[in-house]
Amino acid sequence: MPEARLLLARYVVPVRPRGVVLEDHAVLMEGGKITSILPANEAVVRHPDATPERFDHHVLLPGLINMHTHSPMSLLRGYADDLALETWLRDHIWPAEQRWLSPEFVADGTRLAVAEMIRCGTTCFNDMYFFPDVTASVVEEVGLRACIGLPIIEFPTAWARDFEAYIAKALQVHDALRGCALVSTALAPHAAYTVTDDMLARVAELSATLELPVHIHLLEIAWEARHSLQEYGMGPLQRLLDVGLLNERLIAVHMAHLQDEDIRLLAESGVNVVHCPESNLKLASGFCRVADLLAAGVNVALGTDGAASNNDLDLLAELRTAALLAKGVAADPCALSAGEALELVTINAAQALGLGETLGSIEVGKQADLCAVDLDRPQSQPVHHVISQLVYAATSAQVSDVWVGGRRLLEGGALTALDLPQVIERAECWRQRMVG
Amino acid sequence: MPEARLLLARYVVPVRPRGVVLEDHAVLMEGGKITSILPANEAVVRHPDATPERFDHHVLLPGLINMHTHSPMSLLRGYADDLALETWLRDHIWPAEQRWLSPEFVADGTRLAVAEMIRCGTTCFNDMYFFPDVTASVVEEVGLRACIGLPIIEFPTAWARDFEAYIAKALQVHDALRGCALVSTALAPHAAYTVTDDMLARVAELSATLELPVHIHLLEIAWEARHSLQEYGMGPLQRLLDVGLLNERLIAVHMAHLQDEDIRLLAESGVNVVHCPESNLKLASGFCRVADLLAAGVNVALGTDGAASNNDLDLLAELRTAALLAKGVAADPCALSAGEALELVTINAAQALGLGETLGSIEVGKQADLCAVDLDRPQSQPVHHVISQLVYAATSAQVSDVWVGGRRLLEGGALTALDLPQVIERAECWRQRMVG
């Protein structure tokens, strides 16, 4: 019989049903899954054999899901700031990657990213980078959950030399990871402007055959639509529509330049949008119309983007930015309420990954992916409204405990599956190497 | 002879000269002031009698100055969210204040606010609320620094019943606080739309006679200019100009609706602008043109606003939001670089308070108001650029130590001058009282 554990929390915010806050409730975990949610006093009587643990000042909520990362780029955090996207990519990031990209870089960068993400309450992330096999192996070793993007881009990198090689390697990694409990895969064409029509068509075909999500940067900057019109005689959305990519498997990241008709098209086709507010602000890319997308019925989730452009992987802070910015952009202080915002990093994200049945809320039968946030801090007091405190005032330093599939990865603020001083030392080694 | 203390830091960011990062440097504090800044190895030889303390993974920077707070409103944090400014004020905040406002409310709320602010590296704040005498006494008791606004508003409150009473009480508090080392005062007319022309003229006269700053909400929402045109036949800036308030003593908060000619007028008249990006976003008030103001030569500082509208007093997080948002609003990723942003919460704020000679940078002869930020965390590694890490990635939980006038108020993350559990307990008592 698997060990049963009973988490007794001051508040439980299950996300489903929407807006509910359970006071003094318990969550029972058995075999990595949530098997019961009930009042705390009843729980200790009904489950005397379960190991109890008290979270007297905490909110227990579903583990957060970061829907857009380039985790190894944590090693390039603050490497080049305050620059336009094109300059930043072409003159700084891509040259640095050309010089330093290797399995070792990816392993060390992913470890640093994963350390940061767990401490921020993240239990799953949707990644896009080179050497995805290495990222996947770090994720498995640590016990986190991830959807690993299989990169496809028109130029050669240390990972693959041409389109056929990108595809061959993608299929190889996909096969190797099949059946993993914690890691799934997605096809990850970089962007419409760095992938040809032929490549997009092949991605669409593979996505349909293998039932894989497609993770792509889309409509991030104004230049993109102009360039697409010149080059292809149509906008990027039309190109994706033509090759059959506009469907419920598409995870379209950024989407900071949307017309009303685009929003209708996205809603009709079931495309998932990932909003990256801090990256969009920092690179002055544009503003995603989050409130309009949600009103149209589009599934919207949230991502931090890579640490080279954000410059952190703090999804709780990103959630706060998203909740604030949506109101400013919509010119409506009622837009994206705290409760709606919380869905962007939980249930909506799970649905975008096709994992809405197993992740994204505290419901019986779902995976025990949870995090606890300690409200016993001045910035979270008094607790007039629990979800307001979570979204508008709590910081990631208040995340005390994190579980993935019932296994604890953060315990009272300390990482259980990573040697943090060593992770930081490796990051510092890379910095020294880069300054030469 | 006063005790000399030597703070040996991995990095010192003095803010002046602009953009400088000193590696392995020491700051000598004597008699509450900064008396030397020199390389660490030289410092220990030259000052053998000073008590040394090592901050091996830290940045030492000037204490942060929060230029717009309503500190007692921390007790109303999350009390009413996701509402329009007018509804929020008229249907929620003002009725709650009418019911609960008292010296006890102000004392308990200020203690909660001050606890939060110190932990975020704040050494000085510019407050505006009722019972300013109570706020001042809490500030003095704790040893923080503040500019206490003396409130003036057209309707009666528990603090004063009419204009003459507001003025009489303002003068009384001003007199009582004269000569305080830590507390200064400002006249604080609430807003152009809640203060008559006669009242504004009297404020202008008192400000000139007593050489007091004037702290006012201005051009926060679009309605304000429309209402002013209807009511007075001119915009709020013109009204303030006419009574002689547009000068270098004016601290104009929000300024989210500025035309080009307004910016020229502000620059010419030396008005100080306080930007509150998170409050403006949350209430969908509008967007302050920070990059344009700075380019025109206007002195811009930063405030969190009260915890009822933000919902925190975390100036380091506000700094990050300001740095990101300025780029989005200007549609320019080079706008408000990390180094420029840091000035908003340090030297620019000190200048707005008329205290630029004594606060706002680490310079010999200035007050020893400092804070240390620990970079030994995954989200701050690797340290390619120190100021980038501070502005774009560090969180307030990394603030380890805070000094005001050489006195330590935060030591290794623990408050030295406040009983935190008691402060939180009092906040919880108020919450219980408010729900009845």
Side-chain angles (χ1 to χ4, degrees):
Chain A
M1 196 181 119
E3 195 203 2
R5 273 169 300 160
L6 202 54
L7 309 179
L8 302 149
R10 176 71 185 94
Y11 306 103
V12 176
V13 172
V15 174
R16 282 287 174 270
R18 174 180 282 192
V20 164
V21 177
L22 305 168
E23 298 202 28
D24 299 313
H25 264 62
V27 173
L28 185 68
M29 304 194 295
E30 292 170 288
K33 291 190 176 178
I34 295 160
T35 53
S36 186
I37 303 150
L38 69 176
N41 50 10
E42 196 183 317
V44 288
V45 175
R46 287 184 52 180
H47 302 285
D49 297 337
T51 312
E53 192 163 356
R54 307 199 69 89
F55 294 88
D56 288 340
H57 302 101
H58 300 65
V59 190
L60 204 60
L61 70 158
L64 309 184
I65 304 176
N66 190 340
M67 281 300 290
H68 184 59
T69 56
H70 308 286
S71 54
M73 293 181 83
S74 61
L75 293 177
L76 297 172
R77 188 197 311 275
Y79 182 77
D81 288 311
D82 306 331
L83 297 165
L85 178 65
E86 249 201 287
T87 318
W88 176 76
L89 272 179
R90 292 187 196 275
D91 298 348
H92 299 270
I93 298 302
W94 286 344
E97 287 180 338
Q98 192 153 8
R99 175 79 183 83
W100 300 110
L101 189 59
S102 68
E104 190 196 358
F105 179 96
V106 169
D108 289 337
T110 302
R111 279 201 190 88
L112 181 63
V114 155
E116 183 185 357
M117 285 196 273
I118 295 171
R119 288 163 54 113
C120 299
T122 310
T123 53
C124 181
F125 64 103
N126 185 37
D127 207 57
M128 180 197 277
Y129 207 64
F130 307 102
F131 299 98
D133 53 333
V134 177
T135 302
S137 73
V138 171
V139 168
E140 286 207 280
E141 157 201 318
V142 173
L144 205 61
R145 218 179 280 280
C147 176
I148 301 293
L150 308 168
I152 295 160
I153 194 164
E154 68 182 356
F155 53 73
T157 60
W159 170 241
R161 68 184 182 283
D162 59 21
F163 179 53
E164 287 309 322
Y166 279 110
I167 292 292
K169 290 202 150 186
L171 293 175
Q172 194 183 324
V173 176
H174 170 257
D175 280 351
L177 294 172
R178 205 192 298 256
C180 274
L182 294 170
V183 177
S184 63
T185 53
L187 296 164
H190 172 264
Y193 62 91
T194 51
V195 178
T196 64
D197 280 343
D198 285 354
M199 290 157 92
L200 286 177
R202 184 75 177 281
V203 167
E205 183 198 311
L206 283 173
S207 163
T209 314
L210 302 172
E211 294 183 0
L212 285 181
V214 175
H215 180 186
I216 190 169
H217 297 106
L218 199 61
L219 294 171
E220 180 173 6
I221 50 171
W223 167 87
E224 211 175 315
R226 289 199 306 272
H227 168 265
S228 181
L229 274 173
Q230 279 173 359
E231 205 71 10
Y232 301 97
M234 65 183 86
L237 275 188
Q238 187 62 46
R239 277 182 71 212
L240 266 59
L241 180 66
D242 285 0
V243 297
L245 273 171
L246 283 200
N247 57 47
E248 71 293 337
R249 287 189 305 280
L250 190 69
I251 300 169
V253 180
H254 295 307
M255 304 297 265
H257 296 273
L258 290 173
Q259 308 303 319
D260 289 346
E261 61 269 25
D262 299 334
I263 294 179
R264 275 195 299 276
L265 180 59
L266 296 171
E268 281 164 22
S269 51
V271 168
N272 305 282
V273 168
V274 175
H275 175 40
C276 299
E278 295 183 358
S279 170
N280 293 166
L281 287 173
K282 183 152 179 285
L283 293 162
S285 304
F287 296 92
C288 180
R289 295 167 56 186
V290 175
D292 294 337
L293 285 164
L294 289 171
V298 176
N299 184 46
V300 181
L302 201 64
T304 56
D305 208 342
S309 58
N310 179 322
N311 294 354
D312 63 39
L313 304 172
D314 185 339
L315 195 59
L316 198 58
E318 194 86 28
L319 172 61
R320 184 162 185 271
T321 303
L324 298 177
L325 186 64
K327 296 166 179 54
V329 168
D332 176 6
C334 310
L336 198 64
S337 69
E340 289 172 316
L342 193 56
E343 297 180 346
L344 268 54
V345 293
T346 53
I347 191 67
N348 292 12
Q351 280 165 2
L353 291 172
L355 299 171
E357 296 301 309
T358 53
L359 303 178
S361 59
I362 302 183
E363 291 181 275
V364 170
K366 283 199 170 182
Q367 291 292 322
D369 288 15
L370 303 166
C371 72
V373 178
D374 187 355
L375 299 185
D376 193 30
R377 308 286 166 87
Q379 69 270 22
S380 297
Q381 294 290 326
V383 188
H384 289 295
H385 290 286
V386 175
I387 298 178
S388 167
Q389 292 294 359
L390 272 178
V391 173
Y392 294 125
T395 68
S396 57
Q398 294 170 248
V399 174
S400 64
D401 295 80
V402 170
W403 298 261
V404 173
R407 185 175 163 223
R408 178 124 59 163
L409 299 188
L410 190 75
E411 185 162 357
L415 293 163
T416 61
L418 278 158
D419 178 345
L420 188 55
Q422 196 184 60
V423 168
I424 288 179
E425 192 192 311
R426 296 291 306 155
E428 169 59 12
C429 285
W430 278 103
R431 188 193 66 79
Q432 287 176 12
R433 219 184 287 186
M434 285 186 222
V435 293
Chain B
M1 194 182 119
E3 194 202 1
R5 273 169 302 160
L6 202 54
L7 309 179
L8 302 149
R10 176 70 185 93
Y11 307 102
V12 176
V13 172
V15 174
R16 283 285 175 271
R18 174 180 282 190
V20 164
V21 176
L22 304 169
E23 297 203 30
D24 299 312
H25 264 61
V27 173
L28 185 68
M29 306 194 294
E30 291 171 288
K33 291 190 175 180
I34 296 159
T35 52
S36 186
I37 303 151
L38 68 176
N41 50 10
E42 196 183 318
V44 289
V45 175
R46 289 183 53 180
H47 301 284
D49 297 337
T51 312
E53 192 163 356
R54 306 199 68 89
F55 294 89
D56 288 340
H57 302 100
H58 301 65
V59 190
L60 205 59
L61 70 159
L64 309 184
I65 304 177
N66 190 340
M67 281 300 291
H68 185 59
T69 56
H70 308 285
S71 55
M73 294 181 83
S74 62
L75 294 178
L76 297 172
R77 187 197 310 276
Y79 182 78
D81 289 311
D82 306 331
L83 298 165
L85 178 65
E86 249 201 287
T87 317
W88 176 78
L89 272 179
R90 292 187 195 276
D91 298 347
H92 299 270
I93 298 302
W94 286 344
E97 287 180 336
Q98 192 154 7
R99 176 80 184 81
W100 301 110
L101 189 59
S102 68
E104 189 196 0
F105 179 96
V106 169
D108 289 337
T110 302
R111 278 200 191 89
L112 181 63
V114 155
E116 183 185 357
M117 285 195 275
I118 295 171
R119 289 164 52 113
C120 299
T122 309
T123 53
C124 180
F125 65 103
N126 184 38
D127 207 56
M128 179 197 278
Y129 207 64
F130 308 102
F131 298 98
D133 52 333
V134 177
T135 302
S137 73
V138 171
V139 168
E140 287 206 278
E141 158 201 317
V142 173
L144 204 61
R145 219 179 278 280
C147 175
I148 302 293
L150 308 168
I152 296 160
I153 193 164
E154 67 181 358
F155 52 73
T157 60
W159 170 242
R161 68 182 182 283
D162 59 22
F163 179 52
E164 288 309 323
Y166 279 109
I167 292 291
K169 290 203 150 187
L171 294 175
Q172 194 184 323
V173 175
H174 170 257
D175 280 351
L177 294 172
R178 206 192 298 254
C180 275
L182 294 170
V183 177
S184 63
T185 53
L187 296 165
H190 172 263
Y193 62 91
T194 51
V195 177
T196 63
D197 280 343
D198 286 355
M199 291 157 90
L200 286 177
R202 183 76 178 280
V203 167
E205 183 198 311
L206 282 173
S207 163
T209 314
L210 302 172
E211 293 184 0
L212 284 181
V214 175
H215 180 185
I216 190 168
H217 297 106
L218 199 61
L219 294 171
E220 180 173 5
I221 50 172
W223 168 87
E224 212 176 315
R226 289 199 305 273
H227 168 266
S228 181
L229 273 174
Q230 278 173 1
E231 204 72 11
Y232 301 98
M234 65 183 85
L237 275 188
Q238 187 63 45
R239 278 182 71 211
L240 266 60
L241 180 66
D242 285 0
V243 296
L245 273 171
L246 284 199
N247 57 46
E248 71 294 337
R249 288 188 305 280
L250 191 69
I251 299 169
V253 181
H254 295 307
M255 303 298 264
H257 296 273
L258 290 173
Q259 308 302 320
D260 289 346
E261 60 270 25
D262 299 335
I263 294 178
R264 273 195 300 275
L265 180 60
L266 296 171
E268 280 163 23
S269 51
V271 168
N272 304 281
V273 168
V274 174
H275 174 40
C276 299
E278 295 183 358
S279 170
N280 292 166
L281 288 172
K282 184 153 180 283
L283 294 162
S285 304
F287 296 92
C288 180
R289 294 167 56 185
V290 174
D292 293 336
L293 285 164
L294 289 171
V298 176
N299 184 46
V300 181
L302 201 64
T304 56
D305 208 343
S309 58
N310 180 320
N311 295 350
D312 64 40
L313 304 172
D314 185 340
L315 196 59
L316 197 57
E318 195 85 28
L319 171 61
R320 184 164 185 271
T321 303
L324 297 177
L325 186 64
K327 295 166 179 54
V329 169
D332 176 6
C334 310
L336 198 64
S337 69
E340 289 171 316
L342 193 56
E343 297 180 346
L344 268 55
V345 294
T346 53
I347 190 69
N348 291 13
Q351 279 164 3
L353 291 172
L355 299 171
E357 296 302 308
T358 53
L359 303 178
S361 60
I362 302 183
E363 291 181 274
V364 171
K366 283 200 171 181
Q367 291 293 320
D369 288 16
L370 303 166
C371 72
V373 178
D374 185 355
L375 298 185
D376 193 28
R377 307 287 167 87
Q379 70 270 22
S380 297
Q381 294 289 328
V383 187
H384 289 295
H385 290 287
V386 175
I387 298 179
S388 167
Q389 292 295 359
L390 273 178
V391 173
Y392 295 125
T395 68
S396 57
Q398 294 171 249
V399 174
S400 63
D401 295 79
V402 170
W403 298 261
V404 173
R407 184 174 162 223
R408 177 124 61 166
L409 300 187
L410 190 74
E411 186 163 355
L415 293 163
T416 61
L418 277 158
D419 178 345
L420 188 55
Q422 196 184 60
V423 168
I424 288 179
E425 193 191 311
R426 296 292 305 154
E428 169 60 11
C429 284
W430 278 104
R431 188 193 66 79
Q432 288 176 13
R433 220 185 285 186
M434 285 186 220
V435 293

